[in-house]
Amino acid sequence: MDLGLRDKVTIVAASSKGLGRAVAEEFAREGARLVMCSRDEAAIRTAAEGVQRKTGADVQWTVADVGTAEGCQKLVRTAVDKFGTIDILVSNAGGPPPGRFDDLDDAAWQKAVGITLFSAVRLTRLVLPHMRKAGGGSIVYMTSTTVRQPTQYLNLILSNAIRAAVQGMAKTLSSDLAKDGVRVNCVQPGRILTERIEQLDSDTAKRQNTTPDTIRAHYEKNVIPMGRYGKPEEFAAAVVFLASPKASYITGTSLQVDGGMLMSMF
Ligand SMILES: NC(=O)c1ccc[n+]([C@@H]2O[C@H](COP(=O)([O-])OP(=O)(O)OC[C@H]3O[C@@H](n4cnc5c(N)ncnc54)[C@H](OP(=O)(O)O)[C@@H]3O)[C@@H](O)[C@H]2O)c1
């Protein structure tokens, strides 16, 4: 199926590895023109060059911390300077650190709000003028299944609390921006195997005095009906479809990519 993404100018934030990297590569395969970022120059350069080599796509990269206003501005400016417009934003950032309520002070909460919520707010604010000028666009927020159902382990309170704000913003925006031709959707990963998931499994294991493999085995045997963690490219395929013109009548939705893990019907 041709998703209609050829030459679409697409920003994929936080994309040197993990889900962002996989999403960037999938857009590149579809012929999109791409802008990638992370905080680490060597990492993002290597990732962008890898995507370009594999796909032949036009890929631009920059060093930008999307947890800051300057980082968000730099990312969007890079896209506009290079390509003159923005068609698609995939809003992503590193996950907040694990921790239970008693572990976290105000500074930890504020930092997490800066990274998880404000990256989404600021990137959206910065891309909208370009999308409106172009007569439309598409925004996908990468959130988490924990927005619908927090994990049974209790060490993700920052993520559980703050991602819900992104989700609420996305739903509200989807109604507001429909008249401008801008679609807004969320994609929610369950347990897709990346360094982040390995880090979380290690943290949970330490707290439970067991091993990361035991935590993973518990999920794969008892929690995920498909019996395995997902692959980043399986997540990326969902993001790319929802962002693409083929999803032209889909806005305000949230698609979980979780091997059937969530038991809720909606
Ligand atoms: N994997 C899952 O199954 C899963 C499930 C639920 C939610 N999530 C969420 O989805 C997001 C991506 O997860 P992931 O598994 O891909 O994580 P990951 O493997 O840790 O990768 C995170 C990526 O984001 C970049 N990054 C981190 N903080 C950044 C910042 N402030 N500004 C710019 N780039 C930044 C990192 O590069 P640098 O370090 O070079 O900056 C890296 O490229 C996270 O928010 C995570 O919590 C993931």
Side-chain angles (χ1 to χ4, degrees):
M1 183 183 358
D2 179 3
L3 296 177
L5 284 166
R6 181 146 303 279
D7 291 334
K8 296 286 183 203
V9 178
T10 302
I11 292 176
V12 183
S15 46
S16 66
K17 62 186 179 195
L19 302 183
R21 164 75 169 73
V23 168
E25 186 168 325
E26 208 60 36
F27 273 106
R29 276 189 212 295
E30 295 297 322
R33 293 180 288 171
L34 206 57
V35 182
M36 301 167 64
C37 84
S38 90
R39 295 163 301 176
D40 182 296
E41 178 165 353
I44 192 62
R45 179 195 295 116
T46 305
E49 288 174 356
V51 169
Q52 190 154 40
R53 214 173 21 252
K54 273 174 133 172
T55 64
D58 196 349
V59 184
Q60 188 74 16
W61 59 270
T62 186
V63 177
D65 179 348
V66 296
T68 67
E70 303 73 42
C72 292
Q73 282 156 6
K74 191 174 175 205
L75 175 58
V76 172
R77 202 171 48 243
T78 301
V80 175
D81 285 352
K82 168 78 179 169
F83 297 120
T85 188
I86 297 161
D87 299 303
I88 294 167
L89 167 67
V90 179
S91 178
N92 178 38
R100 292 179 69 147
F101 187 79
D102 288 338
D103 305 329
L104 303 163
D105 59 12
D106 278 5
W109 278 90
Q110 269 157 359
K111 188 159 184 222
V113 168
I115 290 171
T116 301
L117 176 60
F118 270 86
S119 61
V121 170
R122 288 174 176 141
L123 288 173
T124 302
R125 189 185 287 130
L126 289 163
V127 300
L128 273 181
H130 302 284
M131 291 184 176
R132 285 185 168 125
K133 194 169 154 203
S138 173
I139 301 174
V140 174
Y141 298 100
M142 289 172 47
T143 61
S144 173
T145 51
T146 59
V147 164
R148 295 177 195 247
Q149 179 187 302
T151 59
Q152 56 194 260
Y153 301 119
L154 304 174
N155 57 347
L156 269 182
I157 191 164
L158 290 174
S159 173
N160 294 343
I162 301 163
R163 280 189 211 284
V166 177
Q167 196 76 36
M169 178 181 85
K171 187 66 189 168
T172 312
L173 269 178
S174 69
S175 300
D176 199 6
L177 298 180
K179 64 181 182 321
D180 297 326
V182 178
R183 294 183 303 105
V184 180
N185 293 291
C186 297
V187 183
Q188 303 172 329
R191 296 194 82 76
I192 314 291
L193 191 55
T194 64
E195 281 179 30
R196 165 78 176 171
I197 286 296
E198 287 170 347
Q199 179 202 10
L200 292 180
D201 283 357
S202 293
D203 183 82
T204 305
K206 253 186 237 140
R207 288 168 195 272
Q208 307 223 337
N209 204 18
T210 181
T211 65
D213 283 350
T214 307
I215 299 297
R216 179 170 175 176
H218 168 70
Y219 273 107
E220 294 188 333
K221 282 196 190 113
N222 308 316
V223 182
I224 303 172
M226 288 184 73
R228 62 177 175 85
Y229 281 6
K231 300 177 198 155
E233 59 269 28
E234 294 177 305
F235 176 81
V239 174
V240 168
F241 168 69
L242 270 185
S244 79
K246 275 286 180 205
S248 56
Y249 197 54
I250 303 178
T251 195
T253 198
S254 296
L255 177 60
Q256 69 253 46
V257 180
D258 68 350
M261 181 170 74
L262 291 196
M263 289 303 290
S264 64
M265 289 193 289
F266 306 104

